[in-house]
Amino acid sequence: MNLESLAFSPPSSETGSIGSRLAEALPGAGNATGDRNFPWAAGKETKFAQQRVYLDSFDWRLWRAGWILETVQAGNGWQWRLFPRPGASPSSSNGGKKKENPYQEFRGRLNSSRKQYAAEHLPDGPIADRIRPLIGIRALLPRLELDIQGRELPLVDGRQKTVVRLRQQRRHLRNPLWAAAAEQAGAEVTLEDPLLLKSVRGFEKPLRQVAAYFTENGWQTQPTSTLLSDFEALELEPGQDPARYVLTIDPEAPAGQVTRDVFLTLLDNMESCLDGCLAGWDTEFLHDFRVAIRRTRSIQGQMRLLFQGPTYDRFRQSFRWLGGLTGPTRDLDVLHLKLAGYQAGLPVAVQQSLGDLDRYLERHEAQVRRKMVRSLRTQRAQRLLLDWRTWLLAGTESQQTVAAEVPVSQIAAARIWKIYRRVLKKGKALTPQSPAEGLHEVRLDCKKLRYLMEMYRGAFPGSIRRCIRVLKGLQDNLGDFNDYEVHQVLFRAEALQAVEKKAASEQILLAVGRLLEVLDQRQQGEREAFAGRFREFATDDHQRWFRDLFRRPAKQAEKALEAAHRA
Amino acid sequence: MHSLAVYSIKGGVGKTATAVNLAYVGASLGYRVLLWDLDPQGATSYYLRVKAKVKGGGRRMLQAKSSLDRWILGSDFDGFDLLPADFSYRHLDLVLQESKQPRQKLAEVLEPLTSQYDWLLLDCAPSISLVSEGVFEAVDALLVPTIPTTLSLRTLEQLLKHLKDWGRGRPQVLPFLSMLERRKSLHRKVAEAVARSEAGFLQTAIPFSALVEAMGKHRSPVAAYSPRCGPAACFRKLWAEMETAVTAGADGHALQEPKAKVIAEIHKALQN
Ligand SMILES: Nc1ncnc2c1ncn2[C@@H]1O[C@H](COP(=O)(O)OP(=O)(O)OP(=O)(O)O)[C@@H](O)[C@H]1O
Ligand SMILES: [Mg+2]
């Protein structure tokens, strides 16, 4: 028996004061002399109201690390509390400084209450120490708002000491992220709780006696609500990172239908990030939004063989446009995030003059973001997502080719196998002297390969994971190689603009020159590391892993397609 | 968990009134507060209508290998629990004497409670004894109610001298003015003198008020029967100031602390 609180529903569900409910349902109760089994008197009934907000990042980083963070209205201000999620034991404690109790709860005063918190908004202290490393650059957003209103009636003993408290309350639950999107149904729920018995520490016996008395008189015990049941009431699934969702795929299912599902999953991703992109809650929303667009575009290209007709090609162009819209903002986000790290090795004087660039980047980012937000709000952008979903759901047969009927594991394997062999061939041909374009070609192919393997992962045995890992090793090298190049171009352009707009003196060009040198060196480093990384990627063992998984179904696909074309 | 003893060498200065009211404020701000009544007179326990469960608890509480858990009783207020006293506490010194490390004993028995509460408040009996030594060892800070008289300043000076060579684990000392009566000229003079920051007094003073005296009649914290009165507001302010000082101390940024020499100077100046 959980002795902290118990819930009961009385036979009649009259509302009104607890005292009158009690008197009506149990005439003997609440009257110290009335009933030997109920030797307590009703104290003074009071009203109460409380507000709580549960915070987490959009991808539930705290929840997944085993923590719950709530802010509670208390006194005239707010308090925040961090405690382990029931059933979880949070990993990160205080950095291993001191042995901690398994259950640790932290409470602290919160001087101001905000709609969302970035790591730097959190007041220093034990709570911030624990959650800053977990959330990184993600903002903490309100995931659940809870308004509680009710009445409380103490039961007192002969010395007027409270021994049990009865509570009747109504809870209003709200999902603020959905509620913000206005048209979303189910963003709010009001729940009438059963009557709660709350124990007073050290007075567990009276609690048990009251509970027994209620049961004898026909009152039913009820489950008490939990945070999880509250999330469920709002159809929220805490812990689900929308961007890391793995689609379950039947390997024998037709490729056309599965590919539509893949597109729908990516579209769900995009839509779930859209509010965050528009509001600029944190930079990861735009990042995830763009990743979903890139994956969509890449798969659209790779799976071109499944679809026919001009509509499909129009969608491809439109997504290209959508990706382009969001590019400049993301570029500046990245430069801004990276600048601090790049600066680290430079002389102090150079760092100081790069401070001007940093401020310019921030302003420029705000500017291009406004433009992006306007474009994302246009009819064209809104319609694109809507039309794409309609098209995917309609599953119009006339717009599919015969290949769409071939099992997905075969079609996906055919594409993967083809690109994989292309990467091997081109990669082997590269020498330290070959032009940079060659490296870029391999990089782009690796990306296609990665997206295919990730999105169709469910169609293959679990060993596909080690293939993805091998590929990732090579991609890290190629990605860095590319980033250093792109960042050089962007930094140069931004610095020139800053000078032109008088946001920085010409001095800045010298500082940026130093920065570019560093980036160029690092790019060269990656260039030199390529040969080694590629050798690792293409060892006999690793080649065998890919062959075992993809060659046979790829050949099957060829045969199936030939047969279909002949028929 | 932060821990705090309301302590003074002198009796009748408002320790119990402070401990009970502050614990109430802390709980109403959402903290989990435990108030340990260490005074055999049991005034705190009386104010909160709580009686110790078992007679002779003092000895058993400290001796049992188990923890203090089972002696804790809830007050009438959410988040505010109490470790009640009984008359056997008058032998606490002897009990401590028998243990191996008398000074560390209290800290040791409190350790298991650190994850259950955010704040621990101790209401101490006046005097310097083995119990108070154990308290100094166990807590982060001493909150010292000081009536604005020369005599009280002298006892504060004594306390500071006593703590001077305490060494590691010396608690932060936070004196504040208690039972301040502005119409008395001596009170006014002391209040002015300690307002200088080097005196290290908290800025909030608790006024002398019939509403505080009435706690005995209501048997509850002032704010519970008169939430909007002046003294209730003062206790809220005192909590906020104390919380800032104690959390800053925990982060290693302790505020200006009182020095025996400064208090002695103020004391001397007032006598002339
Ligand atoms: N601010 C105040 N205004 C008026 N009376 C007060 C005030 N504070 C305390 N008193 C009264 O003064 C008396 C002593 O107060 P209290 O018991 O809090 O002091 P104490 O330091 O705990 O005493 P002891 O040393 O006996 O434990 C009590 O009768 C109490 O009601
Ligand atoms: Mg006292």
Side-chain angles (χ1 to χ4, degrees):
Chain A
M1 184 155 82
N2 165 17
L3 280 183
E4 245 166 53
S5 63
L6 289 168
F8 279 91
S9 70
S12 85
S13 63
E14 290 297 306
T15 48
S17 77
I18 308 179
S20 61
R21 263 171 92 176
L22 206 59
E24 191 181 305
L26 310 169
N31 167 2
T33 51
D35 192 325
R36 261 192 323 130
N37 294 324
F38 203 93
W40 303 284
K44 193 171 149 236
E45 188 163 327
T46 51
K47 285 187 181 170
F48 69 90
Q50 199 185 41
Q51 245 190 318
R52 291 164 183 259
V53 182
Y54 292 89
L55 298 168
D56 208 329
S57 67
F58 188 67
D59 53 0
W60 301 98
R61 291 188 182 193
L62 299 186
W63 181 281
R64 283 190 281 133
W67 290 112
I68 305 282
L69 179 67
E70 65 173 354
T71 59
V72 182
Q73 199 188 29
N76 293 325
W78 288 81
Q79 195 191 39
W80 60 333
R81 299 176 180 173
L82 181 73
F83 52 90
R85 169 161 60 82
S89 43
S91 49
S92 114
S93 294
N94 54 359
K97 257 186 278 166
K98 205 177 132 197
K99 218 178 101 208
E100 283 192 339
N101 272 303
Y103 187 90
Q104 274 280 43
E105 176 170 341
F106 304 91
R107 298 188 181 189
R109 193 166 50 182
L110 206 51
N111 287 328
S112 64
S113 141
R114 310 173 59 101
K115 271 259 175 305
Q116 82 249 16
Y117 296 85
E120 71 261 24
H121 296 139
L122 306 174
D124 290 337
I127 297 184
D129 289 347
R130 279 166 186 80
I131 61 185
R132 276 195 194 121
L134 293 173
I135 61 172
I137 58 171
R138 295 235 72 160
L140 290 173
L141 305 169
R143 307 311 307 263
L144 174 71
E145 279 172 8
L146 189 56
D147 274 325
I148 310 174
Q149 275 187 4
R151 300 156 176 274
E152 190 170 278
L153 177 79
L155 293 180
V156 300
D157 66 9
R159 279 181 298 142
Q160 296 293 106
K161 168 81 188 80
T162 302
V163 294
V164 178
R165 288 197 286 259
L166 304 182
R167 207 175 243 207
Q168 173 181 298
Q169 63 188 26
R170 168 180 298 164
R171 294 175 315 127
H172 185 71
L173 311 177
R174 190 161 170 272
N175 175 349
L177 298 188
W178 280 8
E183 84 277 17
Q184 287 279 6
E188 303 188 36
V189 195
T190 303
L191 302 173
E192 201 74 51
D193 278 354
L195 192 73
L196 285 173
L197 295 193
K198 288 178 71 77
S199 74
V200 177
R201 187 157 182 176
F203 295 92
E204 286 78 13
K205 201 169 141 201
L207 180 82
R208 251 178 261 138
Q209 286 171 316
V210 174
Y213 185 86
F214 281 0
T215 324
E216 277 158 29
N217 283 277
W219 292 35
Q220 307 274 317
T221 49
Q222 300 286 331
T224 45
S225 72
T226 61
L227 186 55
L228 198 59
S229 69
D230 284 351
F231 276 125
E232 270 167 15
L234 288 172
E235 290 175 39
L236 268 166
E237 269 184 86
Q240 273 291 350
D241 178 0
R244 222 162 294 180
Y245 182 73
V246 180
L247 197 64
T248 31
I249 295 177
D250 170 8
E252 294 304 315
Q257 179 211 313
V258 172
T259 300
R260 285 168 195 274
D261 284 349
V262 166
F263 285 137
L264 281 169
T265 308
L266 290 170
L267 182 57
D268 287 345
N269 276 184
M270 280 179 227
E271 291 190 330
S272 71
C273 297
L274 193 55
D275 284 335
C277 286
L278 293 172
W281 285 326
D282 65 41
T283 54
E284 288 301 280
F285 286 95
L286 181 58
H287 174 253
D288 291 349
F289 185 66
R290 283 176 54 78
V291 169
I293 294 176
R294 269 209 303 276
R295 286 182 170 169
T296 301
R297 291 188 52 211
S298 181
I299 303 289
Q300 280 174 338
Q302 290 303 311
M303 292 298 172
R304 181 73 193 84
L305 77 165
L306 304 181
F307 304 99
Q308 58 187 10
T311 319
Y312 189 72
D313 290 325
R314 266 207 308 280
F315 277 126
R316 289 185 65 188
Q317 278 161 18
S318 295
F319 274 103
R320 188 175 163 174
W321 164 79
L322 191 63
L325 267 186
T326 53
T329 312
R330 177 63 193 164
D331 285 346
L332 291 176
D333 278 349
V334 172
L335 285 195
H336 187 66
L337 290 171
K338 289 270 171 177
L339 186 58
Y342 286 160
Q343 268 175 300
L346 295 170
V348 181
V350 177
Q351 291 194 23
Q352 275 165 355
S353 55
L354 286 175
D356 285 342
L357 183 63
D358 197 34
R359 281 182 288 280
Y360 176 72
L361 285 176
E362 214 168 323
R363 258 182 298 147
H364 193 191
E365 196 267 358
Q367 213 178 332
V368 299
R369 170 177 293 281
R370 277 196 295 276
K371 202 167 147 211
M372 175 191 79
V373 168
R374 273 200 302 276
S375 313
L376 285 176
R377 288 219 165 99
T378 54
Q379 274 270 325
R380 184 174 174 197
Q382 307 277 325
R383 278 234 71 96
L384 170 58
L385 300 185
L386 209 65
D387 290 348
W388 178 232
R389 184 177 293 278
T390 313
W391 188 83
L392 290 170
L393 289 173
T396 326
E397 300 234 331
S398 65
Q399 300 189 10
Q400 285 192 173
T401 64
V402 284
E405 292 307 319
V406 177
V408 63
S409 54
Q410 296 180 12
I411 293 288
R415 297 308 307 165
I416 292 172
W417 186 236
K418 183 176 162 121
I419 309 258
Y420 174 68
R421 280 184 311 162
R422 201 156 81 195
V423 170
L424 279 184
K425 197 168 134 211
K426 285 188 189 165
K428 269 184 204 148
L430 285 178
T431 66
Q433 283 73 43
S434 14
E437 285 90 79
L439 225 53
H440 282 301
E441 277 176 30
V442 174
R443 182 178 63 83
L444 293 175
D445 275 343
C446 282
K447 272 199 159 177
K448 288 174 190 156
L449 190 56
R450 174 80 172 274
Y451 292 150
L452 277 170
M453 295 205 327
E454 275 177 353
M455 297 317 297
Y456 290 93
R457 191 165 129 180
F460 297 97
S463 56
I464 193 174
R465 290 230 297 279
R466 59 183 189 185
C467 293
I468 295 178
R469 213 168 42 238
V470 167
L471 175 61
K472 193 172 172 299
L474 181 62
Q475 274 191 303
D476 287 346
N477 165 257
L478 289 167
D480 287 347
F481 172 77
N482 182 56
D483 284 352
Y484 290 132
E485 182 170 317
V486 173
H487 296 168
Q488 285 180 58
V489 174
L490 288 170
F491 273 127
R492 187 179 296 125
E494 290 296 317
L496 286 170
Q497 270 187 44
V499 172
E500 194 179 308
K501 294 189 180 154
K502 305 240 177 325
S505 69
E506 303 217 345
Q507 203 66 23
I508 187 88
L509 297 178
L510 281 169
V512 170
R514 290 295 297 274
L515 179 62
L516 297 187
E517 269 169 39
V518 172
L519 296 185
D520 193 53
Q521 266 168 25
R522 291 198 194 175
Q523 196 194 359
Q524 286 315 313
E526 296 298 336
R527 178 89 174 83
E528 281 152 28
F530 176 78
R533 292 291 191 101
F534 186 79
R535 233 177 289 123
E536 178 61 24
F537 170 74
T539 61
D540 288 348
D541 270 351
H542 292 165
Q543 289 201 35
R544 190 167 45 72
W545 290 357
F546 278 85
R547 201 163 50 237
D548 287 352
L549 266 182
F550 304 116
R551 190 167 65 172
R552 217 164 58 103
K555 290 270 181 283
Q556 284 171 335
E558 265 171 43
K559 278 202 201 105
L561 287 176
E562 267 168 36
H565 283 304
R566 250 182 278 118
Chain B
M1 183 179 76
H2 298 294
S3 53
L4 181 80
V6 187
Y7 178 81
S8 156
I9 300 176
K10 205 166 146 19
V13 295
K15 295 185 292 293
T16 301
T18 304
V20 169
N21 284 297
L22 284 189
Y24 178 86
V25 172
S28 69
L29 290 173
Y31 289 115
R32 298 163 300 169
V33 182
L34 177 66
L35 175 54
W36 189 356
D37 185 0
L38 271 172
D39 187 339
Q41 297 175 74
T44 287
S45 310
Y46 173 82
Y47 281 143
L48 296 166
R49 303 169 198 269
V50 169
K51 250 208 190 122
K53 263 196 209 164
V54 187
K55 292 264 176 274
R59 176 173 294 267
R60 290 175 51 194
M61 271 160 104
L62 295 187
Q63 280 176 341
K65 261 270 173 278
S66 65
S67 69
L68 295 177
D69 272 46
R70 45 196 283 248
W71 309 97
I72 298 175
L73 293 173
S75 75
D76 288 2
F77 312 101
D78 233 356
F80 179 175
D81 290 348
L82 184 73
L83 258 170
D86 74 69
F87 204 49
S88 74
Y89 271 39
R90 66 192 188 283
H91 303 308
L92 224 47
D93 259 355
L94 293 175
V95 179
L96 288 180
Q97 194 90 64
E98 292 160 14
S99 72
K100 276 198 213 103
Q101 288 183 300
R103 261 196 182 185
Q104 270 74 43
K105 188 72 195 171
L106 289 182
E108 191 183 300
V109 298
L110 284 168
E111 170 60 28
L113 297 178
T114 52
S115 60
Q116 294 180 38
Y117 293 95
D118 303 299
W119 289 90
L120 166 71
L121 269 64
L122 303 178
D123 181 22
C124 304
S127 81
I128 288 191
S129 61
L130 209 45
V131 178
S132 62
E133 308 260 289
V135 167
F136 299 163
E137 198 65 49
V139 299
D140 305 327
L142 298 181
L143 196 58
V144 188
T146 309
I147 301 179
T149 61
T150 37
L151 195 60
S152 300
L153 285 179
R154 216 174 70 88
T155 53
L156 174 59
E157 189 191 322
Q158 283 170 347
L159 172 64
L160 291 169
K161 277 189 183 147
H162 179 71
L163 283 170
K164 210 163 133 210
D165 305 316
W166 196 263
R168 231 169 55 88
R170 174 186 181 278
Q172 221 180 330
V173 179
L174 306 171
F176 69 95
L177 292 179
S178 173
M179 302 192 190
L180 170 68
E181 290 176 87
R182 294 235 173 244
R183 57 186 179 79
K184 292 188 176 165
S185 79
L186 178 60
H187 279 209
R188 277 203 311 275
K189 275 189 196 148
V190 175
E192 273 161 31
V194 301
R196 291 163 40 205
S197 69
E198 315 91 85
F201 269 60
L202 297 179
Q203 280 164 26
T204 312
I206 303 298
F208 186 91
S209 155
L211 279 164
V212 180
E213 262 183 312
M215 280 174 67
K217 188 180 105 214
H218 293 277
R219 296 183 69 180
S220 78
V222 178
Y225 55 84
S226 184
R228 267 176 282 277
C229 72
C234 287
F235 283 119
R236 281 194 291 271
K237 257 175 76 186
L238 185 62
W239 173 281
E241 222 188 320
M242 178 283 290
E243 181 178 350
T244 307
V246 172
T247 44
D251 291 346
H253 315 295
L255 311 177
Q256 169 107 42
E257 278 204 77
K259 294 210 171 51
K261 221 175 84 200
V262 178
I263 303 297
E265 275 165 20
I266 295 174
H267 177 210
K268 218 189 265 149
L270 287 167
Q271 274 178 330
N272 299 332

